[in-house]
């Protein structure tokens, strides 16, 4: 049941952020996503580890999305023109995505090639869906898709590895007690 709730919560948060951005209601989308993230974190057995994972994903996402934004291959209509940093709603989605790493995406742990393929396929597809909903515009579709595929092909296994490392450190501490 927790996997289903996690999956549905992510979908609700994703749509809230994307539709919020597309309709100049970014704050509303971010509040909904933040509520889902908070619910997830506090409902975990080790909320500190989950908070570490979410925080790490937010930092990774901030730098990755800012880099992609500054390549000028995509734009966010609701975002301030010529802004250096990626939109806050997009970074909130990284926190939201991190909530899936130990639950609904947990089955990918240790399956590095599959994680890479899933990231390379579904990462860009999420942006295509965002484009269809008017939250993002591809300035250069081909370069955007290639960049997103390579990036998400690397980021997905990285996030899974990071979760394993955080969880392993917790297990070591628990066993030492």
């Amino acid at each position: 049941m927790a996997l289903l709730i996690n999956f549905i919560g992510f979908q609700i948060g994703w749509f809230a952020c994307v539709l919020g951005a597309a309709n100049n209601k970014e704050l509303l989308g971010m509040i909904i996503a933040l509520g889902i993230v908070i619910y997830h974190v506090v409902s975990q057995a080790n909320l500190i580890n989950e908070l570490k994972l979410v925080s790490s994903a937010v930092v990774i996402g901030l730098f990755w999305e800012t880099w992609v934004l500054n390549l000028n291959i995509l734009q966010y209509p609701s975002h301030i023109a010529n802004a250096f940093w990626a939109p806050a709603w997009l970074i909130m989605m990284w926190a939201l995505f991190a909530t899936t790493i130990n639950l609904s995406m947990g089955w990918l742990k240790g399956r590095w090639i599959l994680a890479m393929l899933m990231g390379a396929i579904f990462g860009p597809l999420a942006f295509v869906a965002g484009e269809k909903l008017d939250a993002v515009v591809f300035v250069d579709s081909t370069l955007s898709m290639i960049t997103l595929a390579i990036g998400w092909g690397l980021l997905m296994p990285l996030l899974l590895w990071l979760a394993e490392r955080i969880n392993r450190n917790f297990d070591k501490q628990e066993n030492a007690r």
Side-chain angles (χ1 to χ4, degrees), residues 15-157:
F15 276 105
C17 285
V18 171
L19 292 173
N23 294 291
N24 293 319
K25 297 191 182 323
E26 297 91 350
L27 186 58
L28 177 59
M30 289 174 56
I31 290 169
I32 292 168
L34 181 60
I36 293 165
V37 170
I38 290 170
Y39 169 79
H40 169 79
V41 170
V42 299
S43 68
Q44 298 309 298
N46 188 322
L47 93 121
I48 299 297
N49 276 9
E50 206 63 25
L51 199 53
K52 286 178 185 177
L53 178 59
V54 169
S55 300
S56 298
V58 165
V59 170
I60 291 167
L62 175 64
F63 286 105
W64 165 253
E65 299 297 349
T66 297
W67 181 73
V68 172
L69 176 70
N70 285 287
L71 289 176
N72 294 316
I73 57 174
L74 49 78
Q75 297 172 343
Y76 300 98
S78 67
H79 197 48
I80 301 165
N82 299 319
F84 178 76
W85 296 104
W89 65 267
L90 188 59
I91 305 311
M92 177 56 71
M93 288 177 65
W94 277 80
L96 189 65
F97 184 69
T99 67
T100 68
I101 298 297
N102 281 321
L103 285 176
S104 52
M105 294 288 187
W107 64 275
L108 280 171
K109 289 180 184 171
R111 297 179 171 131
W112 307 117
I113 302 297
L114 185 57
M116 192 165 45
L117 289 171
M118 297 281 289
I121 293 167
F122 292 105
L125 284 179
F127 278 81
V128 170
E131 182 185 38
K132 301 270 186 229
L133 295 170
D134 296 326
V136 63
V137 174
F138 294 123
V139 175
D140 183 330
S141 295
T142 302
L143 190 55
S144 293
M145 294 307 284
I146 291 169
T147 302
L148 292 170
I150 292 169
W152 274 99
L154 297 171
L155 291 166
M156 188 66 192

